[in-house]
Amino acid sequence: MNIIAIIITFGLIVFVHEFGHFIFAKMNHIKVNEFSIGMGPSIASWNKNDTLYSVRALPLGGYCLMEGMGEASDRKDGYNNKSVLARLSVSFAGPFFNFILAFLLSIIICHYYMIDEPVLTNIMENSAAEEAGFEPGDRILELDGSRIYNYREITLYSMMNDPDKPVDITYERDGKTYNTTLTRRKDAETGNYYFGFYSTGRESEGIVDELYYSVLEVRFQIKTAISSVKMIFTGKANKDAVMGPVGISNTMNDIIEEAKEETKEESAWTQFVVVMLNIINFAVLLSANLGVMNLLPVPALDGGRILFVLIEAISGKPVPPEKEAIVNGIGVALLMLLMIFVFFNDIGNVIHG
């Protein structure tokens, strides 16, 4: 059953991405040659309004094949012959729909699971936080001048910065704002560095609360994805931190199994709900990450197409199709090499896991 949940989750996220391109293509009167649900051999297809709609055997997302995208077309309804704004909106629509999906799923998490606000619930004994006078109920506002909206941003900050670095912290208590400087301390048992405070989150206070923190949840996931890319390109993350479909599937399977283990004494319904919430929470992360990764200015990705359109907007003339095709071809080749590396890296991590 785990593999079915994983396939459906992957399929939904990729399908929503392609559906975003499809909707905005139609809105801008761009001919969509084919819109496919799933990949692989076709098991059903039909034509409507000059578009071939297909249902394919493998439920792994889909694709939106537009006239004039990646090739020259003389048709007025070809992607390459539309305005700069139209092409920008179509290219951005896929990632944007991923962010919308992440937002909608976050509402479920905020409603049934928790609100992740940066309000402290516990202070560890003999910790740097206790020595600095932090108390339960304090709200962290800033770390080194950077605004904090989710408690997990504090964890992200710890991952991205030197553990010996003193941190300027702005926090709120009883409506008043305070400033202090804190240096994380190393735990003798785990070897990790801690501020000495943490938060367990809280329950929702209503739909407005849920909508607000769902926006902040998407913001946090986007921020995390961008930080992860920075870590990869600056060498702060090793190769094992890069995961492809195999690694993600393995991680998702572990999450499902852990949720089942934690609720094995509960009713079947409770176990189902907890497992679903964990899957949805992971889907939020995946959808936001797919949106960010597709916006990278890499040829053959949405960000690469956006870059070419922006170059045209600034220069006043389009990039020659033959040059764009060469750059995209190189980009596809590099992406294929990366996919091969990630695949075998995932296999190695699973085997030695």
Side-chain angles (χ1 to χ4, degrees), residues 74-86:
D74 295 330
R75 293 180 60 115
K76 292 182 179 180
D77 56 1
Y79 171 88
N80 60 317
N81 294 319
K82 291 296 180 176
S83 68
V84 166
L85 184 59

Side-chain angles (χ1 to χ4, degrees), residues 267-341:
S267 67
W269 174 250
T270 299
Q271 186 177 81
F272 172 77
V273 170
V274 172
V275 168
M276 286 302 301
L277 286 175
N278 276 271
I279 292 173
I280 291 170
N281 194 41
F282 196 67
V284 172
L285 181 153
L286 287 180
S287 192
N289 270 263
L290 180 63
V292 170
M293 294 303 175
N294 266 279
L295 286 175
L296 294 177
V298 176
L301 295 182
D302 294 325
R305 295 191 183 96
I306 291 172
L307 178 61
F308 281 122
V309 177
L310 289 177
I311 291 174
E312 177 183 341
I314 294 171
S315 66
K317 56 182 180 180
V319 177
E322 62 276 9
K323 292 184 179 180
E324 183 176 346
I326 292 173
V327 174
N328 281 331
I330 295 172
V332 170
L334 292 175
L335 284 174
M336 291 298 294
L337 289 174
L338 178 61
M339 289 174 64
I340 293 171
F341 164 77

Side-chain angles (χ1 to χ4, degrees), residues 24-295:
F24 273 74
K26 289 294 186 178
M27 287 171 57
N28 286 285
H29 305 291
I30 295 173
K31 183 179 185 297
V32 178
N33 291 326
E34 182 180 357
F35 181 74
S36 172
I37 300 174
M39 304 291 285
S42 176
I43 57 177
S45 62
W46 63 96
N47 275 286
K48 185 176 181 181
N49 298 328
D50 211 21
T51 296
L52 175 66
Y53 295 87
S54 302
V55 177
R56 297 183 177 271
L58 301 176
L60 298 173
Y63 57 86
C64 179
L65 183 61
M66 284 173 271
E67 176 75 20
M69 176 172 276
E71 60 181 5
S73 174
D74 295 330
R75 293 180 60 115
K76 292 182 179 180
D77 56 1
Y79 171 88
N80 60 317
N81 294 319
K82 291 296 180 176
S83 68
V84 166
L85 184 59
R87 282 176 284 151
L88 282 176
S89 67
V90 171
S91 296
F92 182 71
F96 180 62
F97 267 51
N98 280 131
F99 298 145
I100 291 176
L101 176 62
F103 168 71
L104 295 175
L105 294 178
S106 293
I107 296 174
I108 299 173
I109 296 299
C110 290
H111 181 79
Y112 289 102
Y113 188 45
M114 72 169 187
I115 299 293
D116 179 35
E117 64 176 353
V119 175
L120 309 183
T121 54
N122 296 86
I123 309 297
M124 298 169 64
E125 292 184 1
N126 303 316
S127 65
E130 184 182 60
E131 186 176 299
F134 280 95
E135 299 177 1
D138 291 346
R139 176 183 289 271
I140 306 299
L141 300 177
E142 295 181 358
L143 294 181
D144 282 341
S146 178
R147 187 74 168 88
I148 299 298
Y149 295 94
N150 297 76
Y151 181 79
R152 283 168 295 163
E153 290 184 77
I154 300 172
T155 304
L156 179 63
Y157 176 92
S158 296
M159 293 172 56
M160 296 293 296
N161 291 275
D162 186 342
D164 296 317
K165 177 181 179 293
V167 184
D168 295 325
I169 301 179
T170 302
Y171 64 99
E172 182 183 71
R173 179 188 298 166
D174 299 326
K176 295 182 180 179
T177 302
Y178 301 89
N179 296 282
T180 190
T181 301
L182 202 63
T183 302
R184 286 165 283 166
R185 291 181 181 173
K186 186 176 182 179
D187 182 79
E189 294 183 6
T190 65
N192 295 324
Y193 289 80
Y194 297 105
F195 286 110
F197 51 58
Y198 60 93
S199 171
T200 55
R202 63 169 174 81
E203 293 184 356
S204 165
E205 295 177 354
I207 184 62
V208 175
D209 193 34
E210 293 163 9
L211 292 174
Y212 176 68
Y213 274 95
S214 293
V215 172
L216 295 181
E217 178 65 24
V218 177
R219 172 190 171 275
F220 168 72
Q221 296 295 352
I222 292 173
K223 181 178 179 179
T224 301
I226 293 172
S227 297
S228 299
V229 172
K230 288 181 180 178
M231 289 178 69
I232 292 171
F233 282 99
T234 56
K236 291 183 178 180
N238 60 36
K239 66 181 182 63
D240 293 337
V242 181
M243 288 193 298
V246 175
I248 293 171
S249 298
N250 187 60
T251 301
M252 190 172 175
N253 182 70
D254 290 343
I255 290 172
I256 294 172
E257 289 301 319
E258 287 173 10
K260 290 179 179 178
E261 180 64 24
E262 290 173 0
T263 57
K264 63 181 180 180
E265 302 298 330
E266 305 291 337
S267 67
W269 174 250
T270 299
Q271 186 177 81
F272 172 77
V273 170
V274 172
V275 168
M276 286 302 301
L277 286 175
N278 276 271
I279 292 173
I280 291 170
N281 194 41
F282 196 67
V284 172
L285 181 153
L286 287 180
S287 192
N289 270 263
L290 180 63
V292 170
M293 294 303 175
N294 266 279
L295 286 175

